[in-house]
Amino acid sequence: GENVEQHPSTLSVQEGDSAVIKCTYSDSASNYFPWYKQELGKGPQLIIDIRSNVGEKKDQRIAVTLNKTAKHFSLHITETQPEDSAVYFCAARVGPGGSYIPTFGRGTSLIVHP
Amino acid sequence: NAGVTQTPKFQVLKTGQSMTLQCAQDMNHEYMSWYRQDPGMGLRLIHYSVGAGITDQGEVPNGYNVSRSTTEDFPLRLLSAAPSQTSVYFCASNPDPFNPNEQFFGPGTRLTVL
């Protein structure tokens, strides 16, 4: 089955700095890679996703890059703000024709210091 | 739409007691799933359902039962609670189980088994 590794487990940055979280996956058939943000006491919420036919996707201060050859994808947050502090999860999922069950990474706790 | 709702928000059980965690969604989603979240372990899939009347096991199904009699509801049953089941439980739904897209998570149930 799919195995998703996520690093680092904890990331501490100063407000205004950039933050990068990296994930690797094992199943070359995976074709959908979402990122979820979980604030304290709440359920995870999708913030951005990318499909395997795209190398990069941006949404304001957030971007995700995908390297299918190396089987890794990354979340980039620029100009971090204290409200970006949360736990971030990556996931990998195989679409039609394969397993539809996403596999999650173990999460990264991002702390943005004012 | 209320989205995905879970009850209760908090629960304390004694070892050996049974209980049902409720999950409901009003988005007419076919796919529903249950995860448990433990520190440093990320989100682990317990059981899932691709439609009414269909359920299957995930990564950590032991000690849990599910049923899916309607599209809206997907309860999780603990038949004989054990301290190892102390965790935060999340229910999630997805409009199409056979295509990769966003999962919608409920707010979670924090369960403590003494």
Side-chain angles (χ1 to χ4, degrees):
Chain A
E2 176 67 279
N3 182 47
V4 177
E5 298 284 342
Q6 182 173 347
H7 299 281
S9 58
T10 305
L11 180 58
S12 183
V13 301
Q14 289 295 127
E15 182 177 0
D17 288 349
S18 295
V20 180
I21 303 170
K22 298 181 179 180
C23 288
T24 61
Y25 61 99
S26 61
D27 189 343
S28 57
S30 288
N31 59 5
Y32 177 66
F33 308 92
W35 285 90
Y36 289 84
K37 176 183 181 181
Q38 184 181 25
E39 297 177 340
L40 195 62
K42 297 183 178 180
Q45 187 170 16
L46 182 76
I47 55 171
I48 195 167
D49 56 15
I50 192 168
R51 298 175 190 271
S52 59
N53 58 348
V54 176
E56 183 177 3
K57 183 177 179 180
K58 289 184 179 180
D59 183 3
Q60 300 182 336
R61 297 185 297 108
I62 295 173
V64 56
T65 59
L66 171 65
N67 184 325
K68 285 190 64 181
T69 302
K71 290 191 280 189
H72 68 72
F73 56 112
S74 300
L75 177 71
H76 304 255
I77 305 174
T78 59
E79 301 173 20
T80 54
Q81 301 168 2
E83 51 264 39
D84 295 328
S85 296
V87 178
Y88 292 80
F89 292 98
C90 65
R93 176 170 159 161
V94 179
S99 167
Y100 34 75
I101 302 171
T103 301
F104 285 87
R106 295 192 173 193
T108 296
S109 178
L110 174 64
I111 304 167
V112 180
H113 299 280
Chain B
N1 287 350
V4 180
T5 58
Q6 292 183 239
T7 56
K9 289 187 176 182
F10 302 94
Q11 184 70 50
V12 179
L13 293 177
K14 294 182 179 179
T15 296
Q17 286 185 316
S18 63
M19 79 158 296
T20 299
L21 280 63
Q22 301 292 344
C23 174
Q25 52 89 12
D26 60 358
M27 298 175 283
N28 201 33
H29 287 174
E30 291 294 330
Y31 181 86
M32 296 185 73
S33 53
W34 276 102
Y35 293 86
R36 61 177 289 172
Q37 183 177 35
D38 302 292
M41 298 298 292
L43 293 160
R44 292 186 293 170
L45 184 67
I46 304 172
H47 285 284
Y48 65 96
S49 169
V50 298
I54 306 169
T55 64
D56 208 343
Q57 296 181 349
E59 178 185 358
V60 288
N62 292 342
Y64 308 95
N65 281 348
V66 292
S67 60
R68 185 93 180 272
S69 57
T70 67
T71 299
E72 294 78 19
D73 301 298
F74 191 43
L76 178 72
R77 297 185 187 84
L78 284 71
L79 299 179
S80 180
S84 61
Q85 294 178 304
T86 293
S87 187
V88 181
Y89 291 85
F90 289 99
C91 179
S93 75
N94 179 308
D96 182 351
F98 300 105
N99 282 290
N101 44 44
E102 179 179 0
Q103 285 206 107
F104 295 83
F105 285 86
T109 293
R110 183 174 294 274
L111 175 66
T112 301
V113 183
L114 303 176

